Amino acid sequence: MLDSLKEEKRTDLLIQVVSQKNRSITEQLYFALESTCKMLGLEIGIISRVYDQTYSIEHFFPTGIDLYKGQVFDLGDTYCSITLESEKPFSVAHMGQSEYNMHPCYNAFHLESYIGVSFDVNGELYGTINFSSSQPRENDFSTADLSLITLLGEWVSGLMQRKLIEEELQKEKEQYKLLSTNSTDLVCLHELDGTLTFVSESSIEMLGFNPDELIGTSLDKLIHPEDVKRDPKLIFDRVKKGTPIGNTEYRIKRKVGDYIWVNIAADPIISELGKVTGIRTRSRDVSKQKRLEILFNESQEMANVGGWEYDLKTGKLYWTEEVYRIHDKAINEEVFVEEGLSYFPGEARNLIENAIQHTIETGEQYDLELPFVSAKNVAKWVRAIGRAEFADGIAYKLHGTFQDITERRKDREQISEQNERLFQEKKTKEKLYSILAHDLKNSLFGLSDFLEITIFEIVEDIFNKETALERFGLISSSTKSSIKLLETIQSWVKIQAGYFTVVPNLFNIANEVELVIDLFQPGLRKKNINLNKNLSDLSNADVYGDSEMISTVIRNLFNNAVKYSKKNSEIEISLIKTDREGFLDLVIKDQGIGMSEEILRSLFDFDNRPQRKGTDDEPGTGLGLMLCKELAEQNNVSIIIKSKAGKGTEITLQIPTSSDTKAKTIIECTPEL
């Protein structure tokens, strides 16, 4: 029954405390301290501020004791140091008989009883509300006492937060009054929907509007459409939630129709009840700084550049010093658009004029690299970038950057040449490694085949001296051909690297063909391929070109004919005098596996070349034809390939017969026979 009565009394006390009206915050806090002291039977009540290990008194009860507002103690010398370590109210009924009887506060002030709790403001620790007495209590503090202190702490937290807001609001009101009367900034008051209720006189100087012309309208109606798109609700929605916004930049339309850049700061206007009731904005004209900033930012796109600006209404053209230097003109000399365009020669002027007109009409930026001749008749290359500013859909200003890129362009061309050379060298190395493995291997296969046959005959005791001598003669010839092949590959590499030129001469083509045929005799025998030669009619005919290179082409093409021929089939090789003046045709025709249209299309694509095995699983890399293409082009030789899958292949080399032949090399593939 007694506990219930205590609970009721404490509830009534809380109702009295939180229901105070027509009292200042200081009066409300004093009443709360006084009432609680009497309720708990304690002598002193304090609301403190705790900061950086210090304890200062902000409000206290009763007056006339040895305390004053702003009095500071070391936090460790107060019982509140213990309170802050606790997550709930801290209380002691008889300090002298407790574990805290050696605490500095007890030794200094002999306070026997204490109860207190910490509280936050805006989510951060603010201080404590505590009550104490020099007399011990007969009984410990009850649960009702602890609940009372907890609720008082929450009430004080809200009240102190309101106090801080009111103090800040008062400070802002004073600042606002000062700004609105003495500042050139545009100071405005808005309702929560943005409607203007007050506009300072500076609107006349900044925007050309009298304050009365703007009151009742909304400032966001003057914001540039692009800035509205960037932030559709501007700053008002955020400020209505109580968040001050600073250093936001927008373009605002002036009465004459153009735009200026302003830096806007906005603050909420908060009532005594803590509610946002309006918005205050302060706008500063930053057009000059913004122009320099825009020009600077655009300049970062290019090194050592100048900036320019052209007012389409007034015809005024503005250049930075670097633009004057690029034009070889005296700095700050008056310039006009027509003169500026005159420095672009011929077609370059048409390009820059069309680009400017397109930007004015569409708003699309232009970015051009053009030839340029300065006032001192110095030929240069420049990069010109231009953008347009719009009001009501009409361009009123152009601005951009201008750079002398003459040296950079030279460097770029040199780098491009170097990159191309490096690429070609890399490509040459890759081809060299593959060709060595391909062509040289083909040559050595012939030697290997001869030796295997000879070893077999010796083992089987069917060795014939005359046959062996003939065979060894072929081995010797094949070895010499391999050496020549290496020399040819070496020459080819030099050609690719640009260190060698073709040395053409007249030579007997029939002799070169016979040497190739001799090299591949073992392969022909192994597959039992019948070779049909038609060379006799032109056995004395000469062709014009580098004999080693053309022989390499023939060797590779004949090797492919053998590789892709079926066993017991036929290869036909012919020299033909055609109607094409100045050329002799060498035709190699087989009855092998042939090629599809897809394979034909990729024969001379180095990166996608077909790599097919021969009919006896001979390896194929597709590099032989790549080499043929390179060497044929060096010697003005045309390659015409006709093929059909499963039906065989016919390859014609059209070889010049004299140095007077200037026809362009043709590489042609046809899916037919």
Side-chain angles (χ1 to χ4, degrees):
M1 183 68 178
L2 184 60
D3 289 343
S4 176
L5 183 60
K6 285 183 178 180
E7 184 75 33
E8 185 176 343
K9 287 183 178 181
R10 283 152 179 73
T11 301
D12 290 341
L13 173 62
L14 278 173
I15 292 173
Q16 292 178 43
V17 168
V18 302
S19 301
Q20 298 179 77
K21 294 182 179 179
N22 301 322
R23 287 181 175 175
S24 67
I25 291 177
T26 299
E27 290 173 337
Q28 291 183 54
L29 292 173
Y30 187 86
F31 175 78
L33 294 174
E34 179 184 17
S35 301
T36 306
C37 279
K38 291 178 180 179
M39 174 69 69
L40 298 176
L42 299 175
E43 300 170 350
I44 302 171
I46 297 174
I47 294 174
S48 70
R49 177 73 184 269
V50 175
Y51 180 76
D52 196 21
Q53 298 302 310
T54 62
Y55 173 99
S56 65
I57 296 176
E58 290 205 348
H59 301 271
F60 66 93
F61 168 84
T63 58
I65 60 175
D66 194 19
L67 293 175
Y68 59 89
K69 184 175 181 179
Q71 191 172 4
V72 177
F73 300 92
D74 287 338
L75 180 61
D77 292 340
T78 67
Y79 290 146
C80 286
S81 62
I82 306 172
T83 303
L84 295 179
E85 294 177 356
S86 175
E87 296 181 357
K88 55 187 179 180
F90 168 70
S91 64
V92 176
H94 193 169
M95 198 68 69
Q97 295 181 3
S98 73
E99 60 181 301
Y100 303 104
N101 58 13
M102 298 301 291
H103 193 278
C105 184
Y106 183 74
N107 293 331
F109 304 108
H110 302 289
L111 295 173
E112 290 288 357
S113 53
Y114 171 91
I115 184 170
V117 69
S118 64
F119 64 89
D120 296 345
V121 173
N122 292 327
E124 295 184 358
L125 174 67
Y126 187 92
T128 65
I129 177 171
N130 62 85
F131 302 88
S132 58
S133 179
S134 60
Q135 300 299 318
R137 285 171 59 91
E138 292 182 4
N139 300 310
D140 288 339
F141 289 98
S142 66
T143 302
D145 295 333
L146 296 174
S147 297
L148 171 64
I149 294 300
T150 299
L151 293 172
L152 277 175
E154 294 175 357
W155 174 77
V156 171
S157 172
L159 206 61
M160 295 302 288
Q161 183 171 349
R162 176 184 161 189
K163 181 183 177 183
L164 291 177
I165 291 172
E166 288 183 354
E167 290 174 351
E168 185 64 27
L169 180 60
Q170 182 61 34
K171 186 188 299 183
E172 290 181 355
K173 285 181 178 179
E174 293 172 358
Q175 293 175 344
Y176 156 70
K177 183 177 179 181
L178 180 65
L179 283 172
S180 64
T181 55
N182 300 304
S183 176
T184 58
D185 291 350
L186 176 64
V187 180
C188 302
L189 295 180
H190 310 254
E191 294 180 356
L192 292 180
D193 64 357
T195 301
L196 288 161
T197 59
F198 172 85
V199 178
S200 65
E201 293 290 327
S202 55
S203 64
I204 300 173
E205 179 71 21
M206 184 181 294
L207 300 177
F209 291 102
N210 286 313
D212 292 342
E213 294 180 272
L214 295 175
I215 292 174
T217 66
S218 180
L219 193 62
D220 61 359
K221 302 299 182 183
L222 302 177
I223 303 296
H224 194 289
E226 291 182 5
D227 298 333
V228 173
K229 289 179 182 178
R230 171 166 53 88
D231 187 0
K233 297 187 178 180
L234 301 176
I235 56 180
F236 296 118
D237 277 4
R238 286 169 281 173
V239 181
K240 281 191 290 187
K241 296 177 182 178
T243 304
I245 301 296
N247 298 322
T248 302
E249 292 183 344
Y250 296 108
R251 284 166 288 181
I252 292 184
K253 189 175 184 179
R254 300 200 309 155
K255 190 172 183 178
V256 295
D258 62 349
Y259 286 88
I260 62 170
W261 279 96
V262 296
N263 182 294
I264 299 179
D267 304 288
I269 299 173
I270 302 174
S271 70
E272 291 184 357
L273 299 177
K275 293 184 178 180
V276 178
T277 59
I279 297 171
R280 179 177 66 85
T281 61
R282 185 184 69 255
S283 304
R284 178 172 299 171
D285 185 350
V286 293
S287 296
K288 292 182 179 179
Q289 301 93 309
K290 193 67 178 179
R291 180 173 70 179
L292 293 174
E293 179 186 332
I294 291 172
L295 292 178
F296 175 78
N297 289 336
E298 290 173 348
S299 297
Q300 301 313 299
E301 299 179 23
M302 308 183 293
N304 300 320
V305 302
W308 59 270
E309 185 176 278
Y310 176 52
D311 191 318
L312 292 171
K313 290 185 177 180
T314 65
K316 183 67 176 177
L317 180 61
Y318 168 80
W319 284 355
T320 63
E321 292 184 1
E322 184 62 25
V323 177
Y324 278 102
R325 282 190 282 269
I326 294 172
H327 284 76
D328 289 331
K329 288 184 66 67
I331 293 174
N332 294 328
E333 180 182 342
E334 188 174 9
V335 290
F336 300 94
V337 172
E338 184 63 28
E339 179 188 357
L341 294 173
S342 69
Y343 295 104
F344 294 94
E347 182 60 24
R349 174 161 182 168
N350 293 332
L351 289 173
I352 190 69
E353 287 180 342
N354 291 337
I356 291 172
Q357 187 61 36
H358 183 73
T359 298
I360 291 173
E361 293 173 355
T362 66
E364 295 178 5
Q365 172 185 303
Y366 68 81
D367 186 344
L368 300 173
E369 292 187 3
L370 299 169
F372 179 85
V373 179
S374 74
K376 294 183 179 180
N377 205 33
V378 178
K380 303 179 180 181
W381 276 86
V382 296
R383 182 182 179 189
I385 294 177
R387 301 176 178 87
E389 295 287 338
F390 284 79
D392 298 327
I394 299 174
Y396 67 90
K397 182 189 296 182
L398 292 175
H399 61 88
T401 49
F402 203 70
Q403 181 190 25
D404 182 347
I405 60 169
T406 307
E407 293 303 318
R408 192 180 76 178
R409 192 175 178 91
K410 290 179 181 177
D411 292 342
R412 187 194 304 167
E413 290 174 355
Q414 290 178 355
I415 291 172
S416 178
E417 291 174 0
Q418 290 173 356
N419 288 341
E420 179 62 24
R421 187 162 61 250
L422 289 172
F423 174 76
Q424 291 301 330
E425 288 178 358
K426 178 177 180 293
K427 194 172 180 180
T428 298
K429 288 180 181 179
E430 292 175 350
K431 289 181 180 180
L432 171 62
Y433 298 147
S434 300
I435 290 169
L436 285 173
H438 178 265
D439 262 8
L440 188 57
K441 181 170 63 177
N442 288 339
S443 178
L444 295 177
F445 271 159
L447 295 173
S448 177
D449 288 344
F450 276 133
L451 291 173
E452 284 184 6
I453 293 172
T454 303
I455 292 171
F456 173 79
E457 290 178 349
I458 292 174
V459 171
E460 296 297 325
D461 200 21
I462 56 175
F463 183 74
N464 181 282
K465 181 178 179 180
E466 291 182 1
T467 303
L469 287 174
E470 179 185 357
R471 196 172 294 147
F472 284 128
L474 292 173
I475 290 174
S476 175
S477 175
S478 181
T479 302
K480 292 177 181 178
S481 295
S482 296
I483 294 172
K484 285 185 177 181
L485 173 61
L486 283 173
E487 293 174 346
T488 300
I489 292 173
Q490 182 182 27
S491 299
W492 178 82
V493 171
K494 289 181 178 179
I495 291 172
Q496 295 294 302
Y499 303 131
F500 189 85
T501 55
V502 180
V503 181
N505 52 26
L506 286 171
F507 65 94
N508 184 275
I509 185 63
N511 290 342
E512 294 298 328
V513 173
E514 291 288 359
L515 290 173
V516 170
I517 292 172
D518 288 344
L519 179 63
F520 288 97
Q521 283 298 329
L524 294 169
R525 293 175 186 173
K526 190 173 183 180
K527 290 187 176 182
N528 195 31
I529 297 172
N530 178 50
L531 180 62
N532 183 7
K533 295 189 296 182
N534 298 303
L535 309 175
S536 57
D537 291 346
L538 295 170
S539 60
N540 295 320
D542 288 338
V543 294
Y544 184 79
D546 189 306
S547 59
E548 297 294 341
M549 291 184 179
I550 294 176
S551 294
T552 300
V553 174
I554 298 171
R555 184 165 53 248
N556 275 278
L557 296 178
F558 194 82
N559 172 68
N560 284 348
V562 175
K563 180 191 299 185
Y564 297 112
S565 284
K566 303 170 186 177
K567 290 183 178 180
N568 304 313
S569 62
E570 181 177 278
I571 293 176
E572 181 180 345
I573 185 167
S574 307
L575 284 173
I576 303 172
K577 184 69 174 178
T578 67
D579 295 335
R580 191 181 179 196
E581 186 67 27
F583 286 88
L584 184 67
D585 286 0
L586 173 63
V587 182
I588 302 173
K589 185 175 182 180
D590 64 61
Q591 300 172 347
I593 61 176
M595 291 176 279
S596 66
E597 289 187 39
E598 181 180 0
I599 292 174
L600 282 170
R601 283 195 299 269
S602 59
L603 278 182
F604 297 106
D605 184 347
F606 188 85
D607 296 321
N608 299 295
R609 62 190 184 277
Q611 303 181 42
R612 303 190 300 165
K613 289 186 177 182
T615 56
D616 202 18
D617 282 337
E618 301 98 322
T621 65
L623 288 164
L625 281 176
M626 298 305 301
L627 176 60
C628 290
K629 176 179 180 293
E630 297 278 354
L631 298 180
E633 289 176 346
Q634 293 289 333
N635 288 273
N636 201 25
V637 173
S638 298
I639 301 177
I640 300 172
I641 301 175
K642 296 180 180 180
S643 186
K644 198 165 187 178
K647 299 295 184 179
T649 300
E650 177 183 294
I651 299 179
T652 301
L653 295 181
Q654 294 183 337
I655 309 171
T657 56
S658 71
S659 59
D660 296 331
T661 306
K662 303 296 182 184
K664 186 177 180 181
T665 303
I666 299 173
I667 305 296
E668 181 182 312
C669 298
T670 306
E672 62 180 35
L673 278 176

